[in-house]
């Protein structure tokens, strides 16, 4: 009879090595999943929409706000959600300023302030906007600014000069304005379009202001 001797001392190191390899593979896979997941989340949260917006026309007349128009055409790229997109216009012009330290309305006690005008369209959605803004922009009823659509901004887009307006206008440091605005013809206007989720510029342009005919 042949005696079989079990060498446990030889088997144990082999099993230990196999288990160590398996544990390493499992841990590596878990780390990879975590890194990929976090990377994807970071990419999604910090990605800025890519779109080409062309300023097709700027009509200005500093003392007649309703005759000021800025036409912006979406030429291609990502559709822009109106509730996460805002626009800043800046150039030489005017706005009505209240002398009583409140948001002014044309016709109330105050004065026309001329200088460097900054206009912020903080909300481009039709909800809560003036009827004229909705009429000028029927293409954005779906809440999205898509390729081929033209967004028209008017100097009278503020909500009757109240502080509830999503159009905010300042002139040379005066912020208690009517939130209406006019740009001087013959000057230039800088147009910047931002993504509010990342606070980054989507696109910008500098254009000449032509006088209303």
């Amino acid at each position: 009879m042949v005696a079989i001797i079990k060498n446990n001392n030889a088997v144990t190191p082999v099993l230990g090595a196999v288990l160590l390899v398996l544990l390493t593979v499992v841990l590596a896979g878990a780390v990879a999943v975590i890194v990929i997941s976090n990377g994807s989340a970071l990419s999604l949260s910090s990605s800025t929409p890519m779109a080409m917006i062309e300023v097709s026309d700027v009509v200005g007349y500093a003392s007649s706000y309703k005759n000021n128009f800025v036409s912006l055409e979406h030429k291609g790229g990502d559709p822009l959600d109106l509730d996460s997109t805002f626009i800043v216009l800046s150039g030489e012009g005017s706005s009505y300023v209240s002398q009583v330290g409140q948001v002014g309305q044309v016709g109330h006690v105050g004065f026309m302030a001329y200088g460097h005008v900054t206009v912020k369209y903080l909300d481009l959605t039709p909800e809560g906007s003036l009827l004229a803004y909705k009429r000028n922009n029927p293409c954005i009823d779906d809440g999205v600014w898509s390729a081929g659509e033209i967004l028209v901004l008017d100097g009278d887009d503020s909500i009757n000069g109240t502080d509830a307006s999503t159009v905010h206008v300042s002139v040379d440091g005066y912020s208690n304005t009517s939130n209406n605005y006019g740009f001087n013809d013959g000057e230039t206007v800088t147009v910047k379009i931002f993504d509010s989720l990342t606070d980054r510029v989507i696109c910008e342009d500098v254009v000449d202001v032509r006088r209303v005919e």
Side-chain angles (χ1 to χ4, degrees), residues 65-66 68-70 89 119 121 128-134 136-137 152-161 165-167 178-181:
Y65 300 149
K66 67 180 180 180
N68 280 261
F69 293 97
V70 178
L89 314 173
V119 183
Y121 277 77
S129 302
L130 288 180
L131 182 59
Y133 178 80
K134 298 176 183 178
N136 287 336
N137 300 291
V152 179
L153 310 179
D154 180 70
D156 239 356
D157 277 337
S158 70
I159 303 179
N160 302 321
S165 176
T166 57
V167 182
S178 62
N179 291 323
N180 302 70
Y181 62 92

PDB file of all heavy atoms in Angstrom, residues 65-66 68-70 89 119 121 128-134 136-137 152-161 165-167 178-181:
ATOM      1  N   TYR A  65     -37.036 103.983 -26.392  1.00  0.00           N
ATOM      2  CA  TYR A  65     -36.669 102.628 -26.006  1.00  0.00           C
ATOM      3  C   TYR A  65     -37.370 101.549 -26.815  1.00  0.00           C
ATOM      4  O   TYR A  65     -36.790 100.510 -27.114  1.00  0.00           O
ATOM      5  CB  TYR A  65     -36.924 102.430 -24.519  1.00  0.00           C
ATOM      6  CG  TYR A  65     -36.148 103.375 -23.645  1.00  0.00           C
ATOM      7  CD1 TYR A  65     -36.648 103.809 -22.422  1.00  0.00           C
ATOM      8  CD2 TYR A  65     -34.901 103.853 -24.048  1.00  0.00           C
ATOM      9  CE1 TYR A  65     -35.938 104.674 -21.620  1.00  0.00           C
ATOM     10  CE2 TYR A  65     -34.178 104.722 -23.259  1.00  0.00           C
ATOM     11  CZ  TYR A  65     -34.695 105.138 -22.046  1.00  0.00           C
ATOM     12  OH  TYR A  65     -33.991 106.001 -21.256  1.00  0.00           O
ATOM     13  N   LYS A  66     -38.610 101.780 -27.168  1.00  0.00           N
ATOM     14  CA  LYS A  66     -39.349 100.763 -27.901  1.00  0.00           C
ATOM     15  C   LYS A  66     -38.810 100.565 -29.312  1.00  0.00           C
ATOM     16  O   LYS A  66     -39.137  99.575 -29.972  1.00  0.00           O
ATOM     17  CB  LYS A  66     -40.839 101.104 -27.957  1.00  0.00           C
ATOM     18  CG  LYS A  66     -41.167 102.346 -28.780  1.00  0.00           C
ATOM     19  CD  LYS A  66     -42.666 102.613 -28.786  1.00  0.00           C
ATOM     20  CE  LYS A  66     -43.016 103.855 -29.613  1.00  0.00           C
ATOM     21  NZ  LYS A  66     -44.471 104.109 -29.617  1.00  0.00           N
ATOM     22  N   ASN A  68     -35.592 100.223 -29.929  1.00  0.00           N
ATOM     23  CA  ASN A  68     -34.308  99.535 -29.811  1.00  0.00           C
ATOM     24  C   ASN A  68     -34.534  98.033 -29.942  1.00  0.00           C
ATOM     25  O   ASN A  68     -35.326  97.456 -29.191  1.00  0.00           O
ATOM     26  CB  ASN A  68     -33.663  99.846 -28.462  1.00  0.00           C
ATOM     27  CG  ASN A  68     -32.979 101.193 -28.437  1.00  0.00           C
ATOM     28  OD1 ASN A  68     -31.769 101.288 -28.587  1.00  0.00           O
ATOM     29  ND2 ASN A  68     -33.753 102.254 -28.261  1.00  0.00           N
ATOM     30  N   PHE A  69     -33.809  97.423 -30.876  1.00  0.00           N
ATOM     31  CA  PHE A  69     -33.959  95.983 -31.088  1.00  0.00           C
ATOM     32  C   PHE A  69     -32.590  95.325 -31.235  1.00  0.00           C
ATOM     33  O   PHE A  69     -31.702  95.856 -31.896  1.00  0.00           O
ATOM     34  CB  PHE A  69     -34.781  95.684 -32.346  1.00  0.00           C
ATOM     35  CG  PHE A  69     -36.223  96.103 -32.255  1.00  0.00           C
ATOM     36  CD1 PHE A  69     -36.641  97.307 -32.792  1.00  0.00           C
ATOM     37  CD2 PHE A  69     -37.155  95.290 -31.627  1.00  0.00           C
ATOM     38  CE1 PHE A  69     -37.965  97.700 -32.709  1.00  0.00           C
ATOM     39  CE2 PHE A  69     -38.482  95.675 -31.532  1.00  0.00           C
ATOM     40  CZ  PHE A  69     -38.885  96.885 -32.080  1.00  0.00           C
ATOM     41  N   VAL A  70     -32.455  94.174 -30.599  1.00  0.00           N
ATOM     42  CA  VAL A  70     -31.274  93.324 -30.770  1.00  0.00           C
ATOM     43  C   VAL A  70     -31.781  91.957 -31.222  1.00  0.00           C
ATOM     44  O   VAL A  70     -32.541  91.306 -30.505  1.00  0.00           O
ATOM     45  CB  VAL A  70     -30.471  93.190 -29.461  1.00  0.00           C
ATOM     46  CG1 VAL A  70     -29.277  92.259 -29.668  1.00  0.00           C
ATOM     47  CG2 VAL A  70     -30.003  94.549 -28.975  1.00  0.00           C
ATOM     48  N   LEU A  89     -26.061  92.728 -22.314  1.00  0.00           N
ATOM     49  CA  LEU A  89     -25.760  93.712 -23.358  1.00  0.00           C
ATOM     50  C   LEU A  89     -25.064  94.896 -22.706  1.00  0.00           C
ATOM     51  O   LEU A  89     -25.425  95.298 -21.600  1.00  0.00           O
ATOM     52  CB  LEU A  89     -27.041  94.200 -24.048  1.00  0.00           C
ATOM     53  CG  LEU A  89     -28.090  93.165 -24.470  1.00  0.00           C
ATOM     54  CD1 LEU A  89     -29.346  93.867 -24.980  1.00  0.00           C
ATOM     55  CD2 LEU A  89     -27.526  92.251 -25.535  1.00  0.00           C
ATOM     56  N   VAL A 119     -27.222  95.919 -19.628  1.00  0.00           N
ATOM     57  CA  VAL A 119     -28.555  95.303 -19.600  1.00  0.00           C
ATOM     58  C   VAL A 119     -28.394  93.807 -19.351  1.00  0.00           C
ATOM     59  O   VAL A 119     -27.651  93.133 -20.062  1.00  0.00           O
ATOM     60  CB  VAL A 119     -29.294  95.518 -20.933  1.00  0.00           C
ATOM     61  CG1 VAL A 119     -30.704  94.938 -20.865  1.00  0.00           C
ATOM     62  CG2 VAL A 119     -29.335  96.995 -21.301  1.00  0.00           C
ATOM     63  N   TYR A 121     -30.547  90.326 -19.128  1.00  0.00           N
ATOM     64  CA  TYR A 121     -31.762  89.525 -19.283  1.00  0.00           C
ATOM     65  C   TYR A 121     -31.557  88.249 -18.474  1.00  0.00           C
ATOM     66  O   TYR A 121     -30.952  87.282 -18.944  1.00  0.00           O
ATOM     67  CB  TYR A 121     -32.001  89.184 -20.755  1.00  0.00           C
ATOM     68  CG  TYR A 121     -32.689  90.280 -21.542  1.00  0.00           C
ATOM     69  CD1 TYR A 121     -31.993  91.406 -21.959  1.00  0.00           C
ATOM     70  CD2 TYR A 121     -34.048  90.181 -21.876  1.00  0.00           C
ATOM     71  CE1 TYR A 121     -32.615  92.401 -22.691  1.00  0.00           C
ATOM     72  CE2 TYR A 121     -34.679  91.181 -22.615  1.00  0.00           C
ATOM     73  CZ  TYR A 121     -33.960  92.290 -23.011  1.00  0.00           C
ATOM     74  OH  TYR A 121     -34.591  93.279 -23.743  1.00  0.00           O
ATOM     75  N   GLY A 128     -44.261  85.454 -17.347  1.00  0.00           N
ATOM     76  CA  GLY A 128     -44.025  86.653 -16.570  1.00  0.00           C
ATOM     77  C   GLY A 128     -43.460  87.808 -17.356  1.00  0.00           C
ATOM     78  O   GLY A 128     -43.152  88.854 -16.796  1.00  0.00           O
ATOM     79  N   SER A 129     -43.318  87.655 -18.673  1.00  0.00           N
ATOM     80  CA  SER A 129     -42.785  88.722 -19.509  1.00  0.00           C
ATOM     81  C   SER A 129     -43.921  89.554 -20.096  1.00  0.00           C
ATOM     82  O   SER A 129     -45.090  89.173 -20.056  1.00  0.00           O
ATOM     83  CB  SER A 129     -41.937  88.131 -20.644  1.00  0.00           C
ATOM     84  OG  SER A 129     -40.884  87.356 -20.135  1.00  0.00           O
ATOM     85  N   LEU A 130     -43.545  90.696 -20.654  1.00  0.00           N
ATOM     86  CA  LEU A 130     -44.537  91.535 -21.301  1.00  0.00           C
ATOM     87  C   LEU A 130     -45.094  90.835 -22.539  1.00  0.00           C
ATOM     88  O   LEU A 130     -44.417  90.008 -23.163  1.00  0.00           O
ATOM     89  CB  LEU A 130     -43.920  92.869 -21.713  1.00  0.00           C
ATOM     90  CG  LEU A 130     -43.588  93.852 -20.589  1.00  0.00           C
ATOM     91  CD1 LEU A 130     -42.973  95.118 -21.170  1.00  0.00           C
ATOM     92  CD2 LEU A 130     -44.833  94.218 -19.787  1.00  0.00           C
ATOM     93  N   LEU A 131     -46.314  91.216 -22.904  1.00  0.00           N
ATOM     94  CA  LEU A 131     -46.948  90.622 -24.071  1.00  0.00           C
ATOM     95  C   LEU A 131     -46.122  90.888 -25.329  1.00  0.00           C
ATOM     96  O   LEU A 131     -46.032  90.029 -26.216  1.00  0.00           O
ATOM     97  CB  LEU A 131     -48.367  91.169 -24.230  1.00  0.00           C
ATOM     98  CG  LEU A 131     -49.198  90.603 -25.390  1.00  0.00           C
ATOM     99  CD1 LEU A 131     -49.347  89.091 -25.234  1.00  0.00           C
ATOM    100  CD2 LEU A 131     -50.569  91.273 -25.438  1.00  0.00           C
ATOM    101  N   ALA A 132     -45.503  92.064 -25.403  1.00  0.00           N
ATOM    102  CA  ALA A 132     -44.699  92.408 -26.582  1.00  0.00           C
ATOM    103  C   ALA A 132     -43.523  91.438 -26.742  1.00  0.00           C
ATOM    104  O   ALA A 132     -43.177  91.053 -27.865  1.00  0.00           O
ATOM    105  CB  ALA A 132     -44.193  93.839 -26.473  1.00  0.00           C
ATOM    106  N   TYR A 133     -42.896  91.050 -25.637  1.00  0.00           N
ATOM    107  CA  TYR A 133     -41.788  90.092 -25.698  1.00  0.00           C
ATOM    108  C   TYR A 133     -42.278  88.754 -26.239  1.00  0.00           C
ATOM    109  O   TYR A 133     -41.609  88.115 -27.065  1.00  0.00           O
ATOM    110  CB  TYR A 133     -41.180  89.924 -24.306  1.00  0.00           C
ATOM    111  CG  TYR A 133     -40.049  88.929 -24.231  1.00  0.00           C
ATOM    112  CD1 TYR A 133     -38.765  89.280 -24.636  1.00  0.00           C
ATOM    113  CD2 TYR A 133     -40.258  87.635 -23.753  1.00  0.00           C
ATOM    114  CE1 TYR A 133     -37.709  88.360 -24.569  1.00  0.00           C
ATOM    115  CE2 TYR A 133     -39.221  86.722 -23.673  1.00  0.00           C
ATOM    116  CZ  TYR A 133     -37.951  87.082 -24.085  1.00  0.00           C
ATOM    117  OH  TYR A 133     -36.925  86.174 -24.018  1.00  0.00           O
ATOM    118  N   LYS A 134     -43.438  88.326 -25.801  1.00  0.00           N
ATOM    119  CA  LYS A 134     -43.994  87.061 -26.269  1.00  0.00           C
ATOM    120  C   LYS A 134     -44.332  87.140 -27.755  1.00  0.00           C
ATOM    121  O   LYS A 134     -44.103  86.188 -28.508  1.00  0.00           O
ATOM    122  CB  LYS A 134     -45.243  86.707 -25.466  1.00  0.00           C
ATOM    123  CG  LYS A 134     -44.987  86.498 -23.974  1.00  0.00           C
ATOM    124  CD  LYS A 134     -46.276  86.242 -23.230  1.00  0.00           C
ATOM    125  CE  LYS A 134     -46.036  86.103 -21.733  1.00  0.00           C
ATOM    126  NZ  LYS A 134     -47.291  85.898 -20.985  1.00  0.00           N
ATOM    127  N   ASN A 136     -42.906  89.098 -29.967  1.00  0.00           N
ATOM    128  CA  ASN A 136     -41.658  89.169 -30.728  1.00  0.00           C
ATOM    129  C   ASN A 136     -40.955  87.828 -30.835  1.00  0.00           C
ATOM    130  O   ASN A 136     -40.133  87.628 -31.732  1.00  0.00           O
ATOM    131  CB  ASN A 136     -40.698  90.181 -30.089  1.00  0.00           C
ATOM    132  CG  ASN A 136     -41.121  91.617 -30.315  1.00  0.00           C
ATOM    133  OD1 ASN A 136     -41.830  91.928 -31.272  1.00  0.00           O
ATOM    134  ND2 ASN A 136     -40.687  92.502 -29.432  1.00  0.00           N
ATOM    135  N   ASN A 137     -41.290  86.917 -29.905  1.00  0.00           N
ATOM    136  CA  ASN A 137     -40.572  85.646 -29.834  1.00  0.00           C
ATOM    137  C   ASN A 137     -41.502  84.442 -29.741  1.00  0.00           C
ATOM    138  O   ASN A 137     -41.458  83.688 -28.757  1.00  0.00           O
ATOM    139  CB  ASN A 137     -39.620  85.665 -28.625  1.00  0.00           C
ATOM    140  CG  ASN A 137     -38.602  86.783 -28.711  1.00  0.00           C
ATOM    141  OD1 ASN A 137     -37.705  86.760 -29.543  1.00  0.00           O
ATOM    142  ND2 ASN A 137     -38.756  87.788 -27.845  1.00  0.00           N
ATOM    143  N   VAL A 152     -35.582  88.082 -30.288  1.00  0.00           N
ATOM    144  CA  VAL A 152     -35.603  89.534 -30.452  1.00  0.00           C
ATOM    145  C   VAL A 152     -35.738  90.195 -29.080  1.00  0.00           C
ATOM    146  O   VAL A 152     -36.694  89.942 -28.346  1.00  0.00           O
ATOM    147  CB  VAL A 152     -36.760  89.983 -31.368  1.00  0.00           C
ATOM    148  CG1 VAL A 152     -36.780  91.504 -31.497  1.00  0.00           C
ATOM    149  CG2 VAL A 152     -36.624  89.348 -32.747  1.00  0.00           C
ATOM    150  N   LEU A 153     -34.770  91.052 -28.745  1.00  0.00           N
ATOM    151  CA  LEU A 153     -34.801  91.810 -27.493  1.00  0.00           C
ATOM    152  C   LEU A 153     -35.146  93.252 -27.816  1.00  0.00           C
ATOM    153  O   LEU A 153     -34.636  93.832 -28.774  1.00  0.00           O
ATOM    154  CB  LEU A 153     -33.438  91.736 -26.794  1.00  0.00           C
ATOM    155  CG  LEU A 153     -32.836  90.339 -26.619  1.00  0.00           C
ATOM    156  CD1 LEU A 153     -31.482  90.433 -25.927  1.00  0.00           C
ATOM    157  CD2 LEU A 153     -33.783  89.438 -25.848  1.00  0.00           C
ATOM    158  N   ASP A 154     -36.006  93.838 -26.991  1.00  0.00           N
ATOM    159  CA  ASP A 154     -36.472  95.205 -27.227  1.00  0.00           C
ATOM    160  C   ASP A 154     -36.163  96.070 -26.010  1.00  0.00           C
ATOM    161  O   ASP A 154     -36.184  95.582 -24.872  1.00  0.00           O
ATOM    162  CB  ASP A 154     -37.978  95.196 -27.508  1.00  0.00           C
ATOM    163  CG  ASP A 154     -38.531  96.589 -27.755  1.00  0.00           C
ATOM    164  OD1 ASP A 154     -38.218  97.180 -28.795  1.00  0.00           O
ATOM    165  OD2 ASP A 154     -39.253  97.092 -26.880  1.00  0.00           O
ATOM    166  N   GLY A 155     -35.897  97.344 -26.238  1.00  0.00           N
ATOM    167  CA  GLY A 155     -35.570  98.254 -25.153  1.00  0.00           C
ATOM    168  C   GLY A 155     -36.684  98.455 -24.156  1.00  0.00           C
ATOM    169  O   GLY A 155     -36.465  98.989 -23.062  1.00  0.00           O
ATOM    170  N   ASP A 156     -37.888  98.013 -24.516  1.00  0.00           N
ATOM    171  CA  ASP A 156     -39.049  98.155 -23.637  1.00  0.00           C
ATOM    172  C   ASP A 156     -39.491  96.815 -23.058  1.00  0.00           C
ATOM    173  O   ASP A 156     -40.657  96.643 -22.718  1.00  0.00           O
ATOM    174  CB  ASP A 156     -40.218  98.777 -24.410  1.00  0.00           C
ATOM    175  CG  ASP A 156     -40.694 100.078 -23.775  1.00  0.00           C
ATOM    176  OD1 ASP A 156     -40.174 100.439 -22.719  1.00  0.00           O
ATOM    177  OD2 ASP A 156     -41.582 100.732 -24.347  1.00  0.00           O
ATOM    178  N   ASP A 157     -38.568  95.872 -22.934  1.00  0.00           N
ATOM    179  CA  ASP A 157     -38.921  94.528 -22.463  1.00  0.00           C
ATOM    180  C   ASP A 157     -39.153  94.430 -20.957  1.00  0.00           C
ATOM    181  O   ASP A 157     -39.641  93.415 -20.478  1.00  0.00           O
ATOM    182  CB  ASP A 157     -37.821  93.518 -22.837  1.00  0.00           C
ATOM    183  CG  ASP A 157     -37.965  93.000 -24.262  1.00  0.00           C
ATOM    184  OD1 ASP A 157     -39.082  93.059 -24.802  1.00  0.00           O
ATOM    185  OD2 ASP A 157     -36.949  92.554 -24.825  1.00  0.00           O
ATOM    186  N   SER A 158     -38.768  95.461 -20.200  1.00  0.00           N
ATOM    187  CA  SER A 158     -38.965  95.378 -18.750  1.00  0.00           C
ATOM    188  C   SER A 158     -40.454  95.364 -18.423  1.00  0.00           C
ATOM    189  O   SER A 158     -41.290  95.815 -19.206  1.00  0.00           O
ATOM    190  CB  SER A 158     -38.303  96.555 -18.045  1.00  0.00           C
ATOM    191  OG  SER A 158     -39.006  97.750 -18.315  1.00  0.00           O
ATOM    192  N   ILE A 159     -40.788  94.841 -17.249  1.00  0.00           N
ATOM    193  CA  ILE A 159     -42.200  94.739 -16.865  1.00  0.00           C
ATOM    194  C   ILE A 159     -42.643  96.050 -16.218  1.00  0.00           C
ATOM    195  O   ILE A 159     -42.611  96.216 -15.003  1.00  0.00           O
ATOM    196  CB  ILE A 159     -42.426  93.547 -15.922  1.00  0.00           C
ATOM    197  CG1 ILE A 159     -41.952  92.261 -16.608  1.00  0.00           C
ATOM    198  CG2 ILE A 159     -43.885  93.435 -15.517  1.00  0.00           C
ATOM    199  CD1 ILE A 159     -42.105  91.019 -15.765  1.00  0.00           C
ATOM    200  N   ASN A 160     -42.962  97.003 -17.072  1.00  0.00           N
ATOM    201  CA  ASN A 160     -43.518  98.291 -16.632  1.00  0.00           C
ATOM    202  C   ASN A 160     -42.638  99.017 -15.619  1.00  0.00           C
ATOM    203  O   ASN A 160     -43.121  99.745 -14.763  1.00  0.00           O
ATOM    204  CB  ASN A 160     -44.920  98.093 -16.031  1.00  0.00           C
ATOM    205  CG  ASN A 160     -45.871  97.446 -17.024  1.00  0.00           C
ATOM    206  OD1 ASN A 160     -45.840  97.757 -18.199  1.00  0.00           O
ATOM    207  ND2 ASN A 160     -46.693  96.536 -16.559  1.00  0.00           N
ATOM    208  N   GLY A 161     -41.327  98.784 -15.697  1.00  0.00           N
ATOM    209  CA  GLY A 161     -40.421  99.505 -14.817  1.00  0.00           C
ATOM    210  C   GLY A 161     -40.455  99.061 -13.367  1.00  0.00           C
ATOM    211  O   GLY A 161     -39.987  99.764 -12.491  1.00  0.00           O
ATOM    212  N   SER A 165     -39.217  92.951 -12.680  1.00  0.00           N
ATOM    213  CA  SER A 165     -38.743  92.684 -14.027  1.00  0.00           C
ATOM    214  C   SER A 165     -37.508  91.800 -14.008  1.00  0.00           C
ATOM    215  O   SER A 165     -36.651  91.922 -13.136  1.00  0.00           O
ATOM    216  CB  SER A 165     -38.422  93.996 -14.749  1.00  0.00           C
ATOM    217  OG  SER A 165     -37.866  93.738 -16.023  1.00  0.00           O
ATOM    218  N   THR A 166     -37.409  90.899 -14.975  1.00  0.00           N
ATOM    219  CA  THR A 166     -36.217  90.077 -15.103  1.00  0.00           C
ATOM    220  C   THR A 166     -35.191  90.742 -16.014  1.00  0.00           C
ATOM    221  O   THR A 166     -34.144  90.162 -16.290  1.00  0.00           O
ATOM    222  CB  THR A 166     -36.569  88.688 -15.658  1.00  0.00           C
ATOM    223  OG1 THR A 166     -37.244  88.836 -16.906  1.00  0.00           O
ATOM    224  CG2 THR A 166     -37.456  87.931 -14.687  1.00  0.00           C
ATOM    225  N   VAL A 167     -35.499  91.954 -16.483  1.00  0.00           N
ATOM    226  CA  VAL A 167     -34.537  92.760 -17.235  1.00  0.00           C
ATOM    227  C   VAL A 167     -33.996  93.825 -16.285  1.00  0.00           C
ATOM    228  O   VAL A 167     -34.747  94.657 -15.778  1.00  0.00           O
ATOM    229  CB  VAL A 167     -35.201  93.437 -18.458  1.00  0.00           C
ATOM    230  CG1 VAL A 167     -34.165  94.236 -19.241  1.00  0.00           C
ATOM    231  CG2 VAL A 167     -35.870  92.406 -19.346  1.00  0.00           C
ATOM    232  N   SER A 178     -35.514 102.465 -14.757  1.00  0.00           N
ATOM    233  CA  SER A 178     -36.805 101.947 -15.207  1.00  0.00           C
ATOM    234  C   SER A 178     -36.669 100.542 -15.788  1.00  0.00           C
ATOM    235  O   SER A 178     -37.666  99.925 -16.141  1.00  0.00           O
ATOM    236  CB  SER A 178     -37.387 102.875 -16.274  1.00  0.00           C
ATOM    237  OG  SER A 178     -36.531 102.914 -17.400  1.00  0.00           O
ATOM    238  N   ASN A 179     -35.419 100.091 -15.938  1.00  0.00           N
ATOM    239  CA  ASN A 179     -35.106  98.808 -16.569  1.00  0.00           C
ATOM    240  C   ASN A 179     -35.462  98.789 -18.051  1.00  0.00           C
ATOM    241  O   ASN A 179     -35.495  97.737 -18.682  1.00  0.00           O
ATOM    242  CB  ASN A 179     -35.766  97.635 -15.841  1.00  0.00           C
ATOM    243  CG  ASN A 179     -35.144  97.401 -14.475  1.00  0.00           C
ATOM    244  OD1 ASN A 179     -33.946  97.541 -14.295  1.00  0.00           O
ATOM    245  ND2 ASN A 179     -35.974  97.078 -13.494  1.00  0.00           N
ATOM    246  N   ASN A 180     -35.756  99.967 -18.591  1.00  0.00           N
ATOM    247  CA  ASN A 180     -35.849 100.141 -20.034  1.00  0.00           C
ATOM    248  C   ASN A 180     -34.501 100.683 -20.497  1.00  0.00           C
ATOM    249  O   ASN A 180     -33.745 101.231 -19.704  1.00  0.00           O
ATOM    250  CB  ASN A 180     -36.961 101.126 -20.400  1.00  0.00           C
ATOM    251  CG  ASN A 180     -38.313 100.686 -19.862  1.00  0.00           C
ATOM    252  OD1 ASN A 180     -38.534 100.712 -18.657  1.00  0.00           O
ATOM    253  ND2 ASN A 180     -39.212 100.302 -20.734  1.00  0.00           N
ATOM    254  N   TYR A 181     -34.215 100.585 -21.778  1.00  0.00           N
ATOM    255  CA  TYR A 181     -32.897 101.011 -22.234  1.00  0.00           C
ATOM    256  C   TYR A 181     -32.902 101.409 -23.704  1.00  0.00           C
ATOM    257  O   TYR A 181     -33.775 101.008 -24.471  1.00  0.00           O
ATOM    258  CB  TYR A 181     -31.867  99.899 -22.029  1.00  0.00           C
ATOM    259  CG  TYR A 181     -32.171  98.632 -22.814  1.00  0.00           C
ATOM    260  CD1 TYR A 181     -31.651  98.434 -24.097  1.00  0.00           C
ATOM    261  CD2 TYR A 181     -32.986  97.635 -22.283  1.00  0.00           C
ATOM    262  CE1 TYR A 181     -31.947  97.290 -24.820  1.00  0.00           C
ATOM    263  CE2 TYR A 181     -33.288  96.490 -22.992  1.00  0.00           C
ATOM    264  CZ  TYR A 181     -32.753  96.314 -24.262  1.00  0.00           C
ATOM    265  OH  TYR A 181     -33.053  95.184 -24.977  1.00  0.00           O
TER     266      TYR A 181
END
